[in-house]
Amino acid sequence: KSLPKTVYVTTGAVIPPSYNAVIPVEQVDESEMLEHGIISIPYSALVSARRNPWIRPIGCDIKPHTPILKKGDVIEPVHIGLLVQCGVEVVEVTCLPSVGILSTGNELYSHTRKGTGTGTIPDANGPVLCSLLAKYGNCRPRYLGIARDDDEEALTTKLRDSIMEHDVIITTGGISMGEMDIIEKVLVKNLGCDIHFGRLNMKPGKPTTFLTTKTNSKTRLIFAMPGNPVSAMVCTELLIRPCLDMMHTYIHDYMGTGGGGITNMVNNALVHAEVKAILRKGVKLDTSRPEYHRVKLEYTINHDGNLELYAKSTGVQRSSRLMSMLHADGLMMLPRGVKGGKDRIDDGESYTVLLSRRGCQYGGIGVFDGIAVKDSLHLGRCVPTVGLLEIIGSRAIASKWDAIEERVRNIFGSSEHAYTLLESKASNLLNYQETLQEMSHCLNIILVVGVDLTFIESIDMASYLKTLICKPADSMAFMLRQGAANDDPIAALVDSVAGWTVIYNRSCLLVGIPSDGLEGSINAVAPLLKEALYKGRGGR
């Protein structure tokens, strides 16, 4: 039986095979439907249906081969919906790291019991850190209670058992220089742990010590932190949170490369989102250490219509004063003061603020809750990592392009910095987009060298690289060209390129130069690369 010319379908129903448009019922006239069985469709609705037939083709929401979940992704509610839509019932997941939190000190008593008199204080660290870690969503925290620091044997047994049962151990208290600060002794001498760093040049959190040990062929991490609650919170934010993110997010990279992927893991691990904020009221600088100053953020719209962020100190910054964390939106990075010199920050000066709240909002402005280490102002003075990409010209000979890598290594090898060099060859501009993507994941500088390009090929390369740059570094490009011309005057005819680019959400410094005058170009800017990385990301 043939279908009539029009049929009624509900929203979301399957469209019969012979139909190619739907007209919403509110656009038609059904006044004669009951008496004559006629539906009137205005001409305008028919015209509209040609442009928008109100039919969604099967599979239009998710294109074939589109990734919806990758290794290392944290599964969010939207992923659950997408997995259901794609008919995926089972996915393999990694177990979140287990974290044990142990408070130490004879003066402490549990928050579930009353104090025993003068000289005792409630243990705030245990509940605070358990709650803080639970909010991160990257671990399974467990409060291990309070251990006395006057019984070395009992403390050793407690720590040994705790290390066996957890991937990460956090201790608070007992790590300073006092007579009763025996945590380091117990961990190193009694339990054989290895110290990787301690006595940090920061305020608060100076005594923080990081150790590792192996049990059952598995490496366990130990963070021994000060007992003051603000120090414990700040160090957890700055050190432990990124570490836990990296442990469960990038473990596949590490396992798949036999350890060779550690650099990639670290560079892409998430750390705190950062903003620049203007200090409303000046503060005195500490002349012994840089400080992470707790601040409240506010914003105004200036006369140009742009957003301006302001920071206000949360008051007295004692490491025992938890009230300084109560309304803090972030940690303002203040430099160490100089006695007899700059020992305070004046009103109106601006500095970087690390946002300490996930999904932090101030004044209704939402902020992304993490950036990669390689894009961080906080860690912006890291060692440059350079990738070499050779673009081979139509007239190039193999012996010449094979020598480029050695020439670049010789230049950077004499530098005070360490450089990682990668090489990829392509015969035309269309072939190296994927290579740039791969390099940007683990490098912060990409050096593109045109090898024996013709004049037209050189122009094409420079033009294409400029389309990738979102923040030009014209002065650096001029220095590159001038340096090349000093080595080879012919190189002055070829344009050099420099600037910041974002490739698949990864930012890096992109530099394009000819092989002629190569040494002159690189030597002209090599001493400045580290500072360029920092300032290019907005550093002071």
Side-chain angles (χ1 to χ4, degrees):
K1 185 178 179 179
S2 61
L3 292 170
K5 292 183 178 180
T6 60
V7 293
Y8 179 81
V9 293
T10 57
T11 302
V14 177
I15 304 300
S18 58
Y19 291 83
N20 59 10
V22 174
I23 296 177
V25 68
E26 59 267 24
Q27 295 182 13
V28 304
D29 182 0
E30 297 181 284
S31 60
E32 298 184 65
M33 179 64 186
L34 291 177
E35 186 173 350
H36 302 291
I38 297 174
I39 296 177
S40 299
I41 302 175
Y43 178 74
S44 59
L46 292 173
V47 173
S48 176
R50 283 183 176 275
R51 295 194 304 268
N52 180 16
W54 293 91
I55 295 176
R56 296 175 184 170
I58 295 174
C60 66
D61 287 345
I62 306 174
K63 294 181 180 179
H65 310 298
T66 300
I68 60 173
L69 200 58
K70 303 187 297 295
K71 278 186 177 181
D73 283 351
V74 177
I75 298 178
E76 303 285 353
V78 66
H79 292 129
I80 303 295
L82 290 170
L83 290 170
V84 170
Q85 287 185 341
C86 293
V88 179
E89 298 181 357
V90 179
V91 293
E92 185 179 344
V93 298
T94 57
C95 186
L96 294 177
S98 59
V99 181
I101 300 134
L102 179 66
S103 301
T104 67
N106 298 348
E107 73 281 9
L108 300 179
Y109 64 87
S110 172
H111 63 283
T112 60
R113 291 186 288 180
K114 292 184 178 179
T116 56
T118 57
T120 61
I121 56 174
D123 173 31
N125 284 335
V128 165
L129 296 188
C130 272
S131 177
L132 189 61
L133 291 169
K135 184 179 72 171
Y136 295 159
N138 58 12
C139 67
R140 294 171 290 128
R142 178 188 174 199
Y143 180 45
L144 303 179
I146 301 169
R148 296 180 63 85
D149 52 19
D150 58 356
D151 188 339
E152 185 175 325
E153 184 177 348
L155 181 58
T156 300
T157 301
K158 179 68 174 178
L159 280 170
R160 180 185 292 111
D161 294 343
S162 300
I163 289 170
M164 290 287 291
E165 297 171 359
H166 300 85
D167 299 305
V168 180
I169 290 293
I170 299 172
T171 66
T172 60
I175 196 62
S176 294
M177 305 296 289
E179 183 179 334
M180 300 302 292
D181 294 323
I182 62 171
I183 290 293
E184 182 178 319
K185 175 187 176 184
V186 168
L187 289 171
V188 176
K189 293 187 176 180
N190 299 1
L191 298 177
C193 298
D194 297 316
I195 294 180
H196 295 275
F197 64 75
R199 312 298 295 172
L200 303 181
N201 184 34
M202 60 181 280
K203 178 183 179 181
K206 179 180 178 179
T208 300
T209 303
F210 174 62
L211 311 92
T212 60
T213 188
K214 277 199 172 184
T215 59
N216 299 328
S217 301
K218 185 175 181 179
T219 300
R220 318 284 178 161
L221 313 184
I222 302 107
F223 291 89
M225 300 194 299
N228 281 313
V230 174
S231 299
M233 284 191 72
V234 169
C235 289
T236 298
E237 281 280 353
L238 296 180
L239 303 175
I240 299 177
R241 169 181 157 185
C243 176
L244 292 171
D245 273 335
M246 184 173 64
M247 283 180 69
H248 85 276
T249 302
Y250 292 101
I251 191 66
H252 293 286
D253 289 345
Y254 176 71
M255 297 298 290
T257 56
I262 291 179
T263 299
N264 189 32
M265 289 167 58
V266 172
N267 281 339
N268 293 310
L270 290 182
V271 292
H272 298 76
E274 304 163 355
V275 295
K276 301 284 286 194
I278 302 168
L279 202 59
R280 285 198 181 276
K281 186 177 180 180
V283 297
K284 186 173 178 60
L285 293 174
D286 188 287
T287 56
S288 61
R289 289 169 287 165
E291 180 180 7
Y292 292 93
H293 197 99
R294 280 76 74 197
V295 293
K296 174 71 177 174
L297 294 174
E298 303 167 347
Y299 79 95
T300 60
I301 305 297
N302 62 22
H303 64 277
D304 295 323
N306 296 320
L307 180 75
E308 284 189 345
L309 285 175
Y310 287 87
K312 180 181 179 182
S313 173
T314 57
V316 178
Q317 300 286 298
R318 283 194 304 269
S319 57
S320 62
R321 184 175 177 262
L322 264 179
M323 287 296 292
S324 69
M325 297 291 291
L326 181 59
H327 298 296
D329 291 314
L331 306 170
M332 178 170 270
M333 297 165 52
L334 299 182
R336 178 177 64 87
V338 179
K339 292 180 180 179
K342 186 172 178 59
D343 59 359
R344 67 174 289 106
I345 300 298
D346 296 325
D347 305 2
E349 291 192 54
S350 63
Y351 287 87
T352 300
V353 176
L354 309 180
L355 300 179
S356 57
R357 294 179 179 175
R358 287 215 150 185
C360 172
Q361 292 206 2
Y362 45 88
I365 303 292
V367 179
F368 177 65
D369 58 14
I371 60 174
V373 167
K374 67 195 289 290
D375 297 324
S376 169
L377 287 175
H378 180 208
L379 304 169
R381 294 189 184 275
C382 59
V383 174
T385 53
V386 181
L388 170 63
L389 175 62
E390 297 179 34
I391 306 303
I392 310 303
S394 57
R395 66 181 187 182
I397 57 176
S399 59
K400 187 157 187 178
W401 75 63
D402 285 341
I404 295 295
E405 181 179 1
E406 184 178 356
R407 289 169 64 189
V408 173
R409 285 186 181 277
N410 288 338
I411 298 167
F412 287 129
S414 62
S415 167
E416 62 179 343
H417 309 308
Y419 290 82
T420 300
L421 295 177
L422 301 178
E423 181 181 19
S424 182
K425 299 180 178 68
S427 59
N428 62 67
L429 295 175
L430 300 178
N431 286 349
Y432 64 81
Q433 181 71 28
E434 185 175 343
T435 302
L436 288 175
Q437 176 189 356
E438 293 174 358
M439 297 172 82
S440 67
H441 274 284
C442 56
L443 303 166
N444 48 36
I445 299 175
I446 297 178
L447 177 64
V448 182
V449 178
V451 183
D452 281 347
L453 302 182
T454 65
F455 186 65
I456 298 301
E457 288 172 339
S458 298
I459 293 175
D460 289 342
M461 186 185 95
S463 298
Y464 180 73
L465 293 179
K466 287 178 180 179
T467 66
L468 301 178
I469 289 176
C470 56
K471 188 191 295 183
D474 294 333
S475 296
M476 179 178 288
F478 176 76
M479 292 176 65
L480 288 164
R481 193 170 187 176
Q482 189 176 51
N486 289 338
D487 268 13
D488 185 346
I490 299 297
L493 298 175
V494 180
D495 200 7
S496 296
V497 178
W500 281 92
T501 183
V502 177
I503 303 173
Y504 293 90
N505 297 320
R506 305 292 182 184
S507 63
C508 57
L509 181 62
L510 183 63
V511 175
I513 56 176
S515 57
D516 298 324
L518 176 67
E519 284 77 6
S521 288
I522 298 178
N523 284 326
V525 299
L528 308 175
L529 289 179
K530 198 170 185 180
E531 192 67 19
L533 287 174
Y534 184 67
K535 292 188 179 297
R537 293 170 182 154
R540 292 179 60 83

